Amino acid sequence: MNSISIVDILIVLAKAIFVMAATLKLAALNTWIERKASALIQNRIGANRASILGFDLAGIFNTLVADPVKALFKEDFVPRGVSQFMHSLAPFMGVFPILISLAVVPFGPPIILESRTVTLQLVNLNVGILYVFAMGSLAVYGTVLAGWVSKNKFSLFGSLRASAQMISYEITFGLSIIGLIAIYGTLDLNEIVNLQSGLVYGFLPNWGIFAFFPLNIIAFVIFFVSAMAETKRAPFDLPESESELVAGYFTEYSGMKFLLFWLGEFAEIVVAATLVVVLFFGGWQLPYLDLATIQPDLANTALSRFFNINFGVLDPYIGPIIAMHVFAVKVLLFCILQVIIRWTLPRFRYDQLINLCWKIMLPIALVNVVVTCYFVATSGGN
Amino acid sequence: MTDVRNNWEARELDDSLRSKTMILNMGPAHPATHGTVRLILELDGERIERCDVDLGYLHRGFEKQCENVDYNQVIPYTDRLNYVSPIINNVGWVLAIENLFDVEVPLRGQYIRVIMSELSRMCDHLTCVGAGAMELGAFTVMLYLMQAREELYDLIEQVTGARLTISYTRVGGLKSDLPHNFREAVQAAFKKIEKHLIDADKLVSRNRIFQDRMADVGIISKDEAIAYGITGPIARASGVNYDVRKAFPYSSYDHFEFQVPLGSKGDNLDRFLVRFNEIYESMSIVNQAFKKLPDGPISIDDPKIIMPPKDEVYDSIEGMISQFEIVFGGIKPPAGDIYFPVEGGNGELGFYVVSDGSGHPYRVRVRPPCFVAMGIMGPLLEGHTIADVVPIFGMINMIGGECDR
C-alpha cells in the first residue's frame, strides 16, 4: 500500500469542499427554483427583477447573494428568558447533519489516471446508505431543540409534530429500500450505482426502479413519499403549518438563524432528490452509454489536429464530467418535482399523517419487502 | 427482587399519568384569524377540550355612528361591514330605508342592484373558498380564485369607480347607470372566471388530502343550525333550505330562476361546495338579469329622496332647494321602524332602523350573519384538533368588519 502523499490529502480536501459547496449551492438554487416554479404554477410573474446586464437568468446569482445578505443584516431576535446558547445551537444541529449526509454519495465514475485512481465520492463507506439515514435522523434534534428552547407554545407544537413525523417516516423510509438492498446485496452506494449500468429487457435502463419490474416502483413511491415527509414540506409541512402554528418550530427565529433552518429545508430537498437518484434512477449512469468505460479518443479528433494540441490528456476526464452533469440534471429534476408537489397539494392533518405512515405505507412496505425478498431468493440472488 | 418489581408495578397501576391541559391563545393577531378574533383553546395534546371565542376586537361603533349622520351618509359605513361584498350591504341598507319611505326603485334600478349584488356575492364566495383552501396549504387554489376575483373587481370598478369601498347605491336609486358594453365585459370576464374555477376545482375536488381534511369535520346538524339561528351558506350546507332571496324576495329576485344549493351533512366540505356552487348560480342570475334588463330610469323620481341632477341644481330654484334640503337636513323618512333582511355573502344580513321622522336614524341595529354563526364556533371546535381550527373558522367565514361592527 502506498503511503499517503500530500496530493492525496489535497484531493480529499478538494472533494470535501466540492461536495459541501455543491450541496449548499444546490440548496440555494432550489430557493430560486421554488420562487420561479411557484410563480409559473400560480400564473404569477415571480422573480423577474434581478438581472445582470439585462440577462434575467443571471439574476439567479443576485438571488443567491441577496438572501444571505438580507438575513445577515436582520436583527437576531432571542426571546427573553431563553438560553442564548441553546437557541443558537438548534439551527446548527438542524442543518449540519444534512450538509454532511451527501459525503458518501458517488457523483461519477472514478477518474483513472496512470499514477492514481480518483474516486468521485468523498468517502467510500461500506454502509453508505445507513450513514445517510443516520444523518437524516440526527436532523430531528435541531428541530426538536428549536421548539423546546423557543419558549413558545406554537414552536413546541411544531417541534412535537416534527419529531413524531420524522421518526415515523424514518421507518417506512428504511423499509422501502430493504428490497433494493436485497436485490443488490450491498449497502455501499458506489456499488449500488455501479450495478445499475446497462439495460433490462433490452430497452429499459437497468435502474433500481426497474429492478423486478413493478415491485420496485412501489418501493420508489414509498421511498419518495417518506423522503418528502422528512423534508418537512407540503403536503407534510405540519411542523411549520403557517396557517395554524404561525411558523411552527422556527417561529422565534429571525435573521441568519432562520435562514439556516430554511437552508436546511432546501438542503433536505437536495438530499432527498440525491437519494432517489442514487437508489432508484441509476445515480450518474446514463442509459445506452456506459460512462465508466467510455473511450473518447480526443487525440485523433479534428479539433486536436486543427489546433495541433494533444487533447488526449483530457480523455480520462470526459466520462466522469459527463456523468457528473447527468447526475446533477437528475437531481435537479427531482428537486423540481418536489417543488411542484409542494405547490399543488394541501397539507395533511396530524392524525391523517400518522395514519398514512403506520396504517397504509408501513404495511405496503412490509409486503413489498417480503415479496421482493421472495423473488430475490427464487431467482438465486446475486 | 420479585417484591420490588411487584411493588413497582402496583405503584405504576395506581398512579395515573399526570397530565394537564394547556391553554393556547390563538389571536387576536394570528395568521389564521383573518380579521381579529381571539380563540382561547384548552388543549389536550393536539385535541381541543374547550374553546372560548373572544370577539369584538374590530368594534368601531357602527350602529352608534349611524345615529349621527343622515341616511345616505351611512352607505359608506356599510361598505366596511362585510368588506368582501360591500354592494350587498349597500343594497340592504337602502332597501331598508326605501321600505321606510314605502317607495320602490324602477325596474332597471332593481335589476342593476341584482347584477351588482350577485357580482359581489361571487367575490365573497371566491374569497372564502380560496382562503379556505389556502389555510389547508393549497396556496395555488387561492391564487387562481384571486385571479377570478380580480376580474370581478375590474367589472365593479368599471361601474362604480371603486374596488373595495364602493358605496354604489343611494336611497331611492343608484349612483350611476351601467357603462356601455358592460354586458359584453361581464360575458368575457365570466369566461375567464369559469376557467379559473375549473382549474381550482381540478386541484381540490378529486384531491384525497383536501377531501379528507374537509369531509366530516365541523359537522353542524340541521337542528343545530336552526337552533343557533345560522343562515346563509352555512345553514344551507346543513340542509336548511332558507335563502332570503327565495323566502322574502327583494329587488325583483323573484323574476329570476336559480337553484339554492343544499348540503346534506353540514360538514366543512358541504360548506365549501355550497359556496362553490353558489358562484355558478350567481353567474346564471347575472346572465338572466342582463337578458331581461329593461330600459328606463335607475332611480325614483322624488326630489325629497333623490338628489336632482346637477344641471337642475344650477338652473332651477326647485332643484337648488331640494339639493339644499337633502344636503343639510338629510332625507326624512316617516317615523316608524323597519327590519329588512337581504341575503349577504354569509347569510341573512338584516338592518333594523328606527326613524323618528328626522334626518338621522334614531336607532340602527345590524344583524350580521357571521356574528350569529360565530356562536357555534366554540362548541363546534370541541373534540377537533388544532389543525381543524383553521378550516372550520375559514368555512364559518367570519368577517371582522361585519361581526364586530
Side-chain angles (χ1 to χ4, degrees):
Chain A
M1 189 180 159
N2 299 340
S3 60
I4 297 167
S5 70
I6 190 82
V7 183
D8 288 321
I9 295 170
L10 281 179
I11 287 172
V12 169
L13 259 180
K15 283 196 289 190
I17 291 168
F18 177 80
V19 169
M20 181 82 174
T23 316
L24 276 172
K25 282 299 128 189
L26 273 175
L29 187 63
N30 262 330
T31 66
W32 186 83
I33 290 175
E34 165 126 320
R35 281 172 184 152
K36 206 67 192 175
S38 67
L40 283 175
I41 291 169
Q42 296 166 349
N43 295 350
R44 292 185 287 114
I45 299 166
N48 72 332
R49 296 301 163 92
S51 66
I52 294 173
L53 301 176
F55 291 103
D56 280 352
L57 204 60
I60 295 173
F61 297 105
N62 300 6
T63 316
L64 300 189
V65 176
D67 280 328
V69 168
K70 175 187 169 223
L72 275 173
F73 281 99
K74 281 209 158 189
E75 183 195 350
D76 178 23
F77 174 77
V78 180
R80 196 177 299 168
V82 162
S83 159
Q84 171 94 39
F85 173 71
M86 292 305 237
H87 190 263
S88 307
L89 185 66
F92 290 99
M93 282 181 69
V95 81
F96 177 71
I98 301 161
L99 288 183
I100 60 169
S101 61
L102 287 186
V104 292
V105 172
F107 47 89
I111 302 173
I112 300 159
L113 301 172
E114 279 160 20
S115 53
R116 68 185 77 242
T117 302
V118 182
T119 54
L120 292 185
Q121 182 185 23
L122 185 52
V123 268
N124 192 2
L125 279 183
N126 55 4
V127 289
I129 185 69
L130 292 184
Y131 166 81
V132 179
F133 281 9
M135 288 303 123
S137 312
L138 277 181
V140 76
Y141 287 103
T143 312
V144 172
L145 189 63
W148 276 107
V149 299
S150 287
K151 217 178 170 186
N152 180 325
K153 287 171 184 170
F154 291 110
S155 300
L156 183 62
F157 265 110
S159 70
L160 285 178
R161 284 180 178 188
S163 53
Q165 172 183 339
M166 288 171 88
I167 289 165
S168 299
Y169 277 86
E170 212 103 286
I171 292 162
T172 48
F173 199 42
L175 271 179
S176 61
I177 60 148
I178 285 185
L180 202 75
I181 291 168
I183 292 168
Y184 292 126
T186 175
L187 292 168
D188 183 349
L189 286 172
N190 201 17
E191 199 65 16
I192 289 175
V193 173
N194 284 336
L195 285 168
Q196 296 185 42
S197 65
L199 301 173
V200 280
Y201 304 131
F203 66 98
L204 276 178
N206 187 17
W207 290 345
I209 189 170
F210 298 122
F212 289 113
F213 181 50
L215 283 177
N216 255 11
I217 292 180
I218 301 168
F220 161 69
V221 171
I222 293 170
F223 182 81
F224 192 51
V225 171
S226 310
M228 283 199 66
E230 294 274 306
T231 63
K232 305 190 287 295
R233 280 160 56 81
F236 301 101
D237 61 343
L238 287 103
E240 53 173 291
S241 48
E242 77 285 341
S243 52
E244 63 232 36
L245 295 186
V246 189
Y249 61 93
F250 53 73
T251 305
E252 298 286 359
Y253 281 88
S254 65
M256 207 59 202
K257 289 181 194 165
F258 164 75
L259 198 78
L260 275 181
F261 278 119
W262 205 48
L263 185 77
E265 193 181 299
F266 282 99
E268 272 188 81
I269 300 175
V270 177
V271 172
T274 310
L275 284 181
V276 167
V277 168
V278 166
L279 293 173
F280 290 95
F281 287 87
W284 46 263
Q285 302 273 8
L286 191 66
Y288 315 115
L289 182 65
D290 194 355
L291 293 170
T293 55
I294 192 171
Q295 296 289 344
D297 198 6
L298 286 183
N300 285 328
T301 53
L303 206 66
S304 269
R305 282 198 296 273
F306 182 75
F307 288 108
N308 207 11
I309 303 168
N310 184 12
F311 282 116
V313 291
L314 294 177
D315 278 357
Y317 302 103
I318 295 296
I321 285 173
I322 298 174
M324 280 161 72
H325 284 92
V326 169
F327 187 62
V329 167
K330 283 181 183 173
V331 169
L332 275 179
L333 281 179
F334 275 95
C335 290
I336 293 169
L337 180 62
Q338 290 185 60
V339 169
I340 291 172
I341 291 173
R342 186 247 178 280
W343 288 103
T344 309
L345 292 180
R347 106 172 42 90
F348 283 99
R349 201 171 60 208
Y350 184 64
D351 53 332
Q352 292 167 349
L353 178 94
I354 300 297
N355 277 349
L356 177 74
C357 177
W358 291 96
K359 289 191 181 162
I360 300 170
M361 281 174 39
L362 187 66
I364 295 175
L366 281 171
V367 170
N368 193 48
V369 167
V370 172
V371 175
T372 314
C373 289
Y374 170 77
F375 275 101
V376 170
T378 49
S379 69
N382 48 0
Chain B
M1 189 66 196
T2 24
D3 269 331
V4 172
R5 219 176 118 183
N6 284 341
N7 282 343
W8 177 75
E9 276 176 354
R11 196 165 64 226
E12 191 69 354
L13 285 174
D14 283 352
D15 257 5
S16 60
L17 207 59
R18 277 196 310 131
S19 71
K20 282 198 297 186
T21 53
M22 183 170 100
I23 302 286
L24 182 71
N25 245 319
M26 256 191 169
H30 181 278
T33 60
H34 36 101
T36 40
V37 60
R38 187 161 70 128
L39 302 174
I40 305 159
L41 305 172
E42 193 178 329
L43 296 169
D44 173 19
E46 289 256 341
R47 215 171 57 83
I48 297 162
E49 297 263 293
R50 208 167 56 78
C51 169
D52 197 358
V53 183
D54 189 7
L55 293 173
Y57 285 91
L58 217 58
H59 179 66
R60 346 178 262 294
F62 168 82
E63 288 162 4
K64 194 70 187 169
Q65 275 176 320
C66 293
E67 293 170 20
N68 300 319
V69 292
D70 73 38
Y71 288 92
N72 268 322
Q73 284 171 333
V74 173
I75 294 167
Y77 292 160
T78 62
D79 284 338
R80 276 84 176 163
L81 285 176
N82 185 344
Y83 39 76
V84 195
S85 51
I87 295 178
I88 299 179
N89 311 334
N90 296 163
V91 169
W93 171 256
V94 295
L95 279 172
I97 310 305
E98 280 160 15
N99 272 274
L100 267 179
F101 276 110
D102 203 17
V103 293
E104 202 168 41
V105 175
L107 206 57
R108 184 175 173 86
Q110 292 186 14
Y111 275 35
I112 293 176
R113 281 181 182 180
V114 167
I115 291 171
M116 298 307 284
S117 293
E118 292 309 312
L119 291 182
S120 253
R121 191 185 316 285
M122 286 168 71
C123 287
D124 195 291
H125 287 346
L126 284 171
T127 314
C128 174
V129 166
M134 178 195 70
E135 279 153 355
L136 297 180
F139 199 67
T140 307
V141 177
M142 153 100 167
L143 286 174
Y144 284 163
L145 295 179
M146 285 303 106
Q147 275 178 299
R149 192 180 77 166
E150 207 60 18
E151 300 288 340
L152 290 170
Y153 271 8
D154 285 346
L155 291 178
I156 290 170
E157 195 182 5
Q158 280 181 36
V159 179
T160 67
R163 294 164 73 85
L164 194 68
T165 49
I166 289 163
S167 310
Y168 180 52
T169 58
R170 298 288 180 271
V171 177
L174 295 165
K175 188 191 109 192
S176 56
D177 205 336
L178 298 178
H180 284 299
N181 297 331
F182 187 62
R183 187 179 173 178
E184 287 72 29
V186 169
Q187 306 298 347
F190 276 10
K191 273 209 187 92
K192 288 185 199 160
I193 290 166
E194 269 172 6
K195 206 184 143 290
H196 289 308
L197 284 176
I198 289 167
D199 281 348
D201 188 47
K202 276 182 193 159
L203 277 174
V204 295
S205 69
R206 288 179 57 188
N207 186 328
R208 182 68 190 276
I209 302 175
F210 184 82
Q211 300 285 326
D212 281 356
R213 285 296 306 269
M214 298 293 267
D216 297 325
V217 173
I219 295 175
I220 303 176
S221 70
K222 192 172 176 177
D223 294 338
E224 269 179 323
I226 294 170
Y228 275 88
I230 298 171
T231 51
I234 309 166
R236 291 197 283 276
S238 305
V240 183
N241 191 352
Y242 174 69
D243 187 325
V244 184
R245 294 172 294 176
K246 285 272 190 198
F248 308 104
Y250 56 92
S251 196
S252 344
Y253 261 111
D254 46 345
H255 295 189
F256 309 111
E257 295 276 324
F258 61 96
Q259 303 290 319
V260 178
L262 289 180
S264 49
K265 261 196 203 154
D267 55 1
N268 269 344
L269 190 62
D270 274 344
R271 291 195 272 280
F272 184 90
L273 292 175
V274 162
R275 286 202 171 90
F276 213 90
N277 289 329
E278 279 189 16
I279 298 173
Y280 287 103
E281 292 304 323
S282 291
M283 282 196 203
S284 131
I285 295 175
V286 171
N287 285 333
Q288 290 175 43
F290 270 120
K291 270 200 198 104
K292 294 183 180 172
L293 187 64
D295 289 330
I298 52 167
S299 302
I300 53 170
D301 186 21
D302 186 341
K304 280 197 174 343
I305 299 174
I306 207 94
M307 286 246 210
K310 276 290 174 285
D311 50 348
E312 263 180 50
V313 178
Y314 295 137
D315 296 347
S316 72
I317 187 70
E318 294 83 4
M320 176 74 120
I321 289 171
S322 81
Q323 161 105 359
F324 180 86
E325 282 288 314
I326 289 176
V327 169
F328 278 81
I331 51 174
K332 296 188 175 66
D337 65 338
I338 183 114
Y339 173 77
F340 196 87
V342 291
E343 180 70 23
N346 284 326
E348 179 179 327
L349 171 74
F351 288 96
Y352 177 68
V353 187
V354 183
S355 160
D356 56 357
S358 73
H360 305 283
Y362 179 74
R363 175 80 173 89
V364 174
R365 157 85 191 150
V366 185
R367 181 205 187 274
C370 53
F371 178 74
V372 179
M374 281 303 278
I376 204 171
M377 187 71 188
L380 198 57
L381 282 180
E382 277 160 29
H384 285 93
T385 60
I386 309 180
D388 289 327
V389 171
V390 188
I392 290 177
F393 183 74
M395 283 297 119
I396 296 278
N397 193 18
M398 190 205 92
I399 307 281
E402 180 180 72
C403 186
D404 300 340
R405 304 183 306 291

